[in-house]
Amino acid sequence: MLATAPMRPRKITKASLARAASALRAGRLVAFATETVYGLGARADDPRAVAKIYAAKRRPRFNPLIAHVPDLAAAKRIATFDARAELIARAFWPGPLTLVLPLRSSAGVCNAARAGLPSIAIRIPAPKAARDLLRLAGVPIAAPSANPSGRLSPTRAIDVARGLAHIQGDVLDGGPCAVGVESTIVDLTGAQARLLRPGGVAAEDIAALIGDLAAPGGGTIKAPGMLASHYAPRAKLRLNAGGPDEGELYLGFGGLPQGTDGIDLSPRGDLAEAARNLFTALRDLDGRGAARIAVAAIPEKGLGRAINDRLRRAAAPRP
Ligand code: TXA
Ligand code: MG
């Protein structure tokens, strides 16, 4: 049998970017840093390339992917933008916002990438290297978080290499992710804008521009990243805890009680810092073999909504 090279972190250079772009064009997988979490990319117009993402992550096929593009012009080639979409795209892109919009042309995004939906989720990631890669690739790149489905999202190249050790390809190492939680997903396919997933852009900041965001509609699964159990560490989580009980490690916020064994997400109580540290802290505590992690209460505002969403899913009963 041929020796296989597992996923390996690579420094970002002109040469590694060019190599990664040609791997993408050839239908292979490439993991790359975004400001939110690391993504596992494949060309979105090629069902065989997209199938590799679902296989590598063991992701349910009904869970559609986000198409990543380098600029607004590329986004407008695949989706229809109304005035609301235009406004928030201009305010928050490049950045941690994903828009779900009516599909304009399926030329750039195959059915498998959209799980058959007539809409398309799009985002322009912030890091220049990510946009350079997308520009060099020249086609929309479907990219979910680069972790096995249901596990903690990766915010460092090493997390990707460890979590996806069973596949081949490069991980472009952009360092630790600056935002640390996934993008905010806003559905603009209907008259009422809906918040499908709280994330790196505060929902309040979006509402200030286009009015209140409704909750995800019932019925069909709109964003199965919304599956109840998700982002799961091995340890069980106990939320809104004032401190750890016997046998628990503590995930604190705004100061650890004296003598507490654990990690403080942000000693100064800053939600952006807490978001940046969330997945690494959960990984670290999990790696220490705790059976249970007690978690401090996090304010339900701004990035706190994204943090609480991930914590609630991490604490949910596993299937
Ligand atoms: O920050 C992020 O968004 C990261 C980085 C890599 O860009 N990506 C990410 O992808 O979090 P993923 O696959 O883990 O989450 C994508 C979410 C899923 O919950 C999916 O159901 C939803 O986007 N989604 C994709 N297309 C959709 C569509 N057409 N309608 C509704 N939801 C959609
Ligand atoms: Mg994910």
Side-chain angles (χ1 to χ4, degrees):
M1 219 174 80
L2 280 174
T4 55
M7 283 232 137
R8 281 237 318 257
R10 306 264 175 201
K11 273 214 187 94
I12 294 174
T13 61
K14 241 180 145 173
S16 69
L17 277 175
R19 182 186 135 109
S22 64
L24 285 170
R25 279 199 304 275
R28 293 199 290 274
L29 300 178
V30 170
F32 60 100
T34 82
E35 76 282 31
T36 58
V37 301
Y38 276 71
L40 182 65
R43 60 184 300 162
D45 61 348
D46 177 352
R48 284 177 37 195
V50 166
K52 292 179 188 170
I53 292 181
Y54 285 93
K57 284 180 59 86
R58 302 192 178 89
R59 178 182 176 106
R61 308 285 312 212
F62 60 77
N63 193 357
L65 304 171
I66 298 172
H68 293 65
V69 293
D71 49 44
L72 193 54
K76 287 183 172 177
R77 281 196 285 276
I78 51 176
T80 314
F81 281 65
D82 63 12
R84 300 168 302 176
E86 182 89 29
L87 193 63
I88 57 175
R90 288 190 185 277
F92 301 111
W93 279 351
L97 171 69
T98 293
L99 295 180
V100 175
L101 300 171
L103 183 71
R104 176 197 291 280
S105 156
S106 55
V109 193
C110 65
N111 248 300
R114 306 189 321 274
L117 293 174
S119 57
I120 174 75
I122 313 183
R123 111 176 175 89
I124 304 177
K128 182 176 177 298
R131 282 179 287 129
D132 286 346
L133 176 69
L134 296 170
R135 205 162 277 129
L136 288 169
V139 287
I141 297 298
S145 49
N147 53 301
S149 202
R151 309 307 305 184
L152 295 170
S153 297
T155 51
R156 299 168 301 194
I158 187 71
D159 301 333
V160 180
R162 288 187 184 140
L164 296 178
H166 56 288
I167 66 166
Q168 290 175 262
D170 287 351
V171 186
L172 287 175
D173 188 349
C177 298
V179 173
V181 290
E182 295 84 349
S183 59
T184 303
I185 306 182
V186 177
D187 179 357
L188 293 177
T189 56
Q192 171 66 58
R194 293 183 184 280
L195 178 67
L196 298 188
R197 177 176 76 185
V201 175
E204 295 92 324
D205 294 342
I206 299 169
L209 294 178
I210 60 167
D212 280 348
L213 303 175
T220 54
I221 296 186
K222 270 291 198 138
M226 322 228 109
L227 294 174
S229 163
H230 211 75
Y231 311 108
R234 265 187 298 271
K236 287 216 163 65
L237 260 57
R238 184 168 67 84
L239 305 184
N240 300 313
D245 288 343
E246 186 69 31
E248 289 180 334
L249 290 172
Y250 194 55
L251 185 63
F253 176 77
L256 283 189
Q258 249 214 328
T260 303
D261 194 3
I263 296 177
D264 196 338
L265 286 172
S266 172
R268 60 194 157 95
D270 178 78
L271 289 168
E273 180 179 43
R276 192 154 57 238
N277 291 331
L278 177 66
F279 286 122
T280 359
L282 283 171
R283 254 174 226 284
D284 287 1
L285 293 178
D286 217 23
R288 287 164 57 177
R292 291 171 68 92
I293 301 170
V295 185
I298 312 283
E300 182 71 9
K301 58 167 201 240
L303 287 190
R305 292 175 70 174
I307 296 171
N308 284 325
D309 171 79
R310 306 310 185 266
L311 286 171
R312 278 192 291 269
R313 291 178 205 290
R318 319 279 156 79

